[in-house]
Amino acid sequence: MSIPLSMIYTPTYQSKQVLETVNYKISPQHVFLDNASTDGTVEFLRGKGHQVEAHSKNMGRVENWAACLTHFLTKQDAPWFKWLFCGDSLVDHAEDLIATYAQKFPEAGLLIFSYDILHADNRTTTWFPFKGTCVLSPDACAADVVRHGNIFGAPVAHVLSRTVLSNPYTFGSLPWVADMRVCLELSRHMPVAFIQEKIGVFNMNH
């Protein structure tokens, strides 16, 4: 069996109602990691044929995110990790985008893509922090975070390499910035490619 380029991970908790509104493709490259839901999330996903790993007890929100990375590093062989939080979506050619830019920027440990934001009033806006595609060194990344705050965007933007994940990292102690924190820590070790092509949609309605 060939090794896939990337594995998609979706952390879930009491997510059945949201999952009923989206149509995620059944794929061996997509793993759902459930945090001891009691609303039928696991049964719903397994009934659809999805690959689900379920904790026996609630680990905490961010701890479940960390468990996704651990599962990837210990159970998978793919070179790239992709977040897909519940309710968000990826473009059909997301895997091709990852392949293209992983090859174009082999020095990068993180690929950060543009994405659309679906707002509560159904407006759509586009997120991207720079004027065009670029690669930032660790020092340049740190400087831009100091100047501008979160330059990494939402998790739908993030693609993390197995190589960069071999370095120490933490999500920190603040859940509302944990995704930014882990990107910032990983960006200390390898350059980050910011890519203007859109990889998906961040749905703020969930």
Side-chain angles (χ1 to χ4, degrees), residues 158-180:
H158 306 165
V159 190
L160 314 175
S161 75
R162 179 176 295 275
T163 303
V164 80
L165 287 169
S166 68
N167 293 286
Y169 61 84
T170 176
F171 284 89
S173 60
L174 303 174
W176 56 92
V177 292
D179 54 313
M180 172 189 164

Side-chain angles (χ1 to χ4, degrees), residues 87-130:
D88 294 347
S89 59
L90 298 175
V91 297
D92 290 340
H93 60 291
E95 182 84 346
D96 292 336
L97 288 176
I98 296 170
T100 296
Y101 288 99
Q103 183 176 23
K104 185 172 183 178
F105 302 122
E107 72 277 23
L110 297 86
L111 307 178
I112 306 295
F113 286 87
S114 174
Y115 58 87
D116 281 336
I117 303 170
L118 179 61
H119 297 268
D121 59 3
N122 287 323
R123 286 182 304 114
T124 299
T125 57
T126 297
W127 177 89
F128 192 65
F130 299 107

Side-chain angles (χ1 to χ4, degrees), residues 41-191:
T41 294
V42 172
E43 295 78 6
F44 175 82
L45 287 167
R46 287 179 175 161
K48 292 283 188 180
H50 290 291
Q51 183 180 177
V52 185
E53 300 286 338
H55 301 303
S56 60
K57 63 179 181 180
N58 192 307
M59 300 178 65
R61 180 185 180 200
V62 176
E63 288 77 6
N64 192 34
W65 300 356
C68 289
L69 294 179
T70 298
H71 189 276
F72 169 75
L73 290 170
T74 59
K75 303 294 186 182
Q76 311 292 349
D77 296 313
W80 291 92
F81 174 99
K82 179 74 197 83
W83 286 119
L84 182 60
F85 277 29
C86 198
D88 294 347
S89 59
L90 298 175
V91 297
D92 290 340
H93 60 291
E95 182 84 346
D96 292 336
L97 288 176
I98 296 170
T100 296
Y101 288 99
Q103 183 176 23
K104 185 172 183 178
F105 302 122
E107 72 277 23
L110 297 86
L111 307 178
I112 306 295
F113 286 87
S114 174
Y115 58 87
D116 281 336
I117 303 170
L118 179 61
H119 297 268
D121 59 3
N122 287 323
R123 286 182 304 114
T124 299
T125 57
T126 297
W127 177 89
F128 192 65
F130 299 107
K131 292 181 179 180
T133 295
C134 59
V135 178
L136 296 189
S137 69
D139 287 347
C141 250
D144 262 25
V145 169
V146 170
R147 286 192 294 263
H148 305 296
N150 184 8
I151 62 171
F152 303 106
V156 71
H158 306 165
V159 190
L160 314 175
S161 75
R162 179 176 295 275
T163 303
V164 80
L165 287 169
S166 68
N167 293 286
Y169 61 84
T170 176
F171 284 89
S173 60
L174 303 174
W176 56 92
V177 292
D179 54 313
M180 172 189 164
R181 172 68 179 270
V182 75
C183 285
L184 179 59
E185 293 211 0
L186 292 172
S187 71
R188 294 167 51 202
H189 303 286
M190 295 179 73

